[in-house]
Amino acid sequence: MGGWSWLCCGRSNAGCDAVRLPEPFHLPAPLPQWPQGGDFAKGTICIGELDVVNITKFRSIWSCPGASFYEPEGVPDGFHCLGHYAQQNDRPLQGFLLVAREVASHLLTSIKPALEKPLDYSLVWTNAGLNEDDNSECGCVWLPSPPNGYKALGYVVTKGPKKPSLEAVRCVRDDLTDTCKSFRSIVNLENVCQIWKTRPCHRGVRGHGIPVGTFACETESTESEESILPCLKNLDSNLKAMPNLEQINALIKHYGPTVFFHPQETYLPSSVSWFFENGATLHKKDIKMGDVILPGGSNLPAGGTNDGEYWIDLPDDDRNEYVKVGNLKSAELYAHVKPAHGGTFTDIAMWVFCPFNGPATIKVGFASFALQKVGRHIGDWEHFTLRVSNFSGELSSIYFSQHSGGEWVDACNLEFVSGNKAIMYSSRNGHASYPHPGCYLMGSEKLGVGVRNDVARSDFSVDSSTQYKIISAGHLGGAVVEPCWLQYMREWGPKITYNSRSEIDTVLSFLPFFLRFTAEAIFNSLPEELYEEEGPTGPKEKNNWEGDERG
């Protein structure tokens, strides 16, 4: 797979550059034998009229400075390629392509086949020189021309100008596809052909879209909405490839990250039961005294919406400061297991609870200012999400939740602490999660202005592979009983109104005139909740409980 490939991306063979192909990525440790049951990690998933297989081994077709293009290697007999794969050269080779075959039982019952060969190909882009005698090293990107009632799901790349064989790919019947959109740039070929990664438009628990692993292509002559090819759609509602309870436990024990808190962290996590058992109180609007919450949260109001009628607070007695700093020994992560990408992946969202979120520190240039109020609130829910392939049980990526947003990080860009267990860094006071140590700014990294998120290793850590509890797995029916506190939809802390923005204004007043207005504009763009001492809602009230993660 690795090695050297010589090519020219220009119109001439002069000055040809050597391009290093990415080395294939492998997880640090071999995968275990997963517990048996259902179709999880069996290699093939039925999505209705099609069986699909996930190919992760590739054969290089053509490369240029910036990116390389591949076709699947080792396609099983009877399966067909749907398009080619592309990725940047500056990262390890980690990707996939789905190949498909018609389900035998549907061959006789369907009016039209699920798969058909293209009628022809149209040339979308090439770097071949019109006046050159030898274009054998050029790259060409082709769009399959589907029969009426069918759609192409991927582009085909060739080295040299010869048109691809009609046997190279298959097109898919319209009703078996779903809409896609581009979301991450791969490379811009000669500034006229933009290559994108794509993902389904319909994602989350109820989304049926399945990414094929192919790329999108936009040129000066194509409209954006016309150039985004569709993806597959899972029409099998049974989601047979989702893991059972034993398999979920095996996945968490194999992949569960270790969460490291900052060495100067004051406000550590605890279990929800420890929080309740040590005096947390439930308050109702217009009633002065709060009620002690029972250990399992059975006296919390269930359901409804966050209407401001109830909220949770710290103990009303001298345990207040004791509870505020948490209890690391009792801490456990709460796992919500759900289907992703039409049931071809499993998302394991791991939620961590901290009784208190500390005040922020802001950075302006080389100076940092520790605040007293901004960022403080009682009750803090943060999470990260493991995305696992249901074809093999292999970890694909992890989502790092960071305040009002977050980021997906592919497995090849993670740090690992033991075997295939990744490292999760929790930011000081704010508990946002990051894949590597350092200082991350919520604001402008370029200008060095914003709220600091400092992360580093320390002796404060939680091993989520052992300290966890599965709290929800809807695809298993009643196999997982959700805790009472999960049905509480109101806030986990009181709303306290004060002029916290005055702290920011005080800092701004000491800045040089030329920097003051730039910094003020950046702080004005930050989420309003940063300036309010208001507790968050619980996991089930978040829009990513059933939806996809926020990018």
Side-chain angles (χ1 to χ4, degrees):
M1 289 295 303
W4 289 90
S5 176
W6 291 87
L7 62 136
C8 287
C9 270
R11 299 290 183 185
S12 165
N13 285 334
C16 187
D17 296 323
V19 175
R20 181 76 172 181
L21 293 178
E23 291 292 333
F25 168 76
H26 301 286
L27 287 169
L31 297 187
Q33 283 281 40
W34 304 113
Q36 295 298 299
D39 290 338
F40 175 74
K42 292 291 181 64
T44 303
I45 295 178
C46 179
I47 59 171
E49 293 189 36
L50 292 173
D51 287 330
V52 288
V53 168
N54 192 54
I55 303 293
T56 58
K57 293 183 179 180
F58 301 112
R59 185 182 299 110
S60 174
I61 302 171
W62 181 78
S63 298
C64 67
S68 296
F69 296 83
Y70 301 86
E71 61 184 342
E73 187 172 62
V75 177
D77 290 342
F79 284 81
H80 301 280
C81 177
L82 302 175
H84 289 168
Y85 173 75
Q87 78 154 61
Q88 299 97 326
N89 291 331
D90 60 357
R91 47 155 287 179
L93 180 60
Q94 184 198 355
F96 68 89
L97 281 171
L98 295 191
V99 295
R101 72 178 177 193
E102 293 196 54
V103 174
S105 60
H106 286 278
L107 286 172
L108 300 176
T109 58
S110 296
I111 299 175
K112 296 171 65 176
L115 302 172
E116 282 283 15
K117 291 184 288 187
L119 303 176
D120 198 359
Y121 295 92
S122 58
L123 182 62
V124 176
W125 175 87
T126 182
N127 67 334
L130 295 176
N131 300 318
E132 296 188 18
D133 296 330
D134 183 10
N135 283 311
S136 60
E137 297 296 313
C138 74
C140 298
V141 179
W142 306 84
L143 176 64
S145 303
N148 186 38
Y150 291 80
K151 291 181 178 178
L153 269 62
Y155 291 85
V156 176
V157 177
T158 61
K159 184 177 181 179
K162 184 178 180 181
K163 188 178 290 189
S165 165
L166 297 180
E167 295 289 342
V169 293
R170 291 292 186 270
C171 302
V172 180
R173 205 173 68 227
D174 280 353
D175 59 308
L176 305 181
T177 69
D178 206 351
T179 54
C180 241
K181 63 180 180 181
S182 58
F183 78 105
R184 188 184 298 167
S185 174
I186 297 174
V187 70
N188 193 346
L189 299 172
E190 296 190 335
N191 295 318
V192 296
C193 182
Q194 185 74 50
I195 305 296
W196 296 88
K197 288 180 69 71
T198 66
R199 64 180 178 184
C201 293
H202 305 121
R203 303 186 305 280
V205 173
R206 294 184 174 83
H208 298 287
I210 299 173
V212 181
T214 54
F215 59 88
C217 179
E218 295 179 16
T219 67
E220 296 171 342
S221 61
T222 58
E223 293 291 336
S224 175
E225 60 269 18
E226 294 177 356
S227 62
I228 304 301
L229 301 180
C231 59
L232 288 170
K233 180 191 293 185
N234 192 349
L235 298 177
D236 186 348
S237 60
N238 292 322
L239 301 179
K240 298 172 185 175
M242 287 293 292
N244 60 32
L245 191 56
E246 185 181 7
Q247 291 162 344
I248 293 169
N249 279 298
L251 288 169
I252 296 174
K253 289 173 182 176
H254 187 74
Y255 291 122
T258 295
V259 184
F260 285 99
F261 295 87
H262 194 273
Q264 296 176 327
E265 180 62 76
T266 301
Y267 306 105
L268 292 165
S270 76
S271 67
V272 171
S273 59
W274 181 91
F275 181 57
F276 292 163
E277 289 165 1
N278 283 274
T281 53
L282 174 68
H283 290 257
K284 187 174 180 0
K285 187 178 179 181
D286 299 327
I287 297 179
K288 188 174 182 180
M289 294 297 294
D291 294 327
V292 173
I293 301 173
L294 298 177
S298 58
N299 61 328
L300 291 172
T305 59
N306 183 26
D307 52 12
E309 288 294 313
Y310 295 91
W311 63 90
I312 292 174
D313 206 344
L314 295 169
D316 295 326
D317 51 34
D318 56 5
R319 293 175 293 176
N320 186 289
E321 292 300 318
Y322 167 72
V323 171
K324 187 182 287 187
V325 298
N327 181 271
L328 196 61
K329 187 177 180 180
S330 74
E332 57 189 0
L333 281 90
Y334 301 102
H336 172 213
V337 185
K338 54 184 177 177
H341 291 327
T344 56
F345 287 83
T346 292
D347 276 1
I348 304 175
M350 307 287 281
W351 292 87
V352 58
F353 173 73
C354 295
F356 194 78
N357 193 87
T361 297
I362 63 171
K363 183 176 184 291
V364 182
F366 294 106
S368 293
F369 305 88
L371 305 178
Q372 298 299 313
K373 296 180 180 179
V374 173
R376 287 171 28 129
H377 58 78
I378 294 167
D380 189 29
W381 281 104
E382 297 291 347
H383 77 287
F384 55 87
T385 299
L386 310 177
R387 179 159 286 177
V388 176
S389 168
N390 287 344
F391 291 96
S392 62
E394 183 169 351
L395 177 69
S396 169
S397 56
I398 295 181
Y399 179 80
F400 293 77
S401 176
Q402 298 155 2
H403 306 299
S404 57
E407 61 176 332
W408 282 105
V409 177
D410 291 336
C412 62
N413 291 321
L414 297 171
E415 289 184 28
F416 292 89
V417 66
S418 173
N420 292 332
K421 297 178 175 68
I423 295 176
M424 189 75 47
Y425 294 96
S426 180
S427 66
R428 183 187 176 197
N429 285 354
H431 311 127
S433 56
Y434 294 90
H436 306 288
C439 174
Y440 299 82
L441 283 187
M442 185 167 66
S444 172
E445 291 274 3
K446 182 178 179 181
L447 297 175
V449 177
V451 176
R452 293 181 65 114
N453 288 275
D454 292 284
V455 295
R457 280 210 207 192
S458 74
D459 293 333
F460 305 135
S461 66
V462 179
D463 181 356
S464 69
S465 71
T466 58
Q467 295 169 259
Y468 74 92
K469 182 179 294 181
I470 300 172
I471 59 170
S472 183
H475 70 283
L476 295 180
V480 175
V481 178
E482 296 183 351
C484 295
W485 55 260
L486 187 58
Q487 318 311 320
Y488 172 72
M489 301 299 176
R490 276 81 171 187
E491 291 173 345
W492 286 67
K495 180 175 182 177
I496 301 174
T497 304
Y498 49 71
N499 188 17
S500 62
R501 182 53 197 261
S502 63
E503 284 192 298
I504 297 285
D505 293 335
T506 299
V507 172
L508 293 174
S509 69
F510 289 102
L511 297 179
F513 182 80
F514 71 91
L515 184 58
R516 185 184 311 167
F517 292 103
T518 300
E520 184 175 22
I522 292 171
F523 288 120
N524 284 339
S525 69
L526 298 179
E528 276 299 318
E529 54 262 32
L530 183 69
Y531 304 109
E532 297 176 351
E533 185 171 334
E534 183 172 4
T537 52
K540 214 168 188 177
E541 185 71 3
K542 313 291 188 187
N543 58 14
N544 53 15
W545 182 263
E546 290 196 347
D548 197 12
E549 301 289 2
R550 292 173 286 184

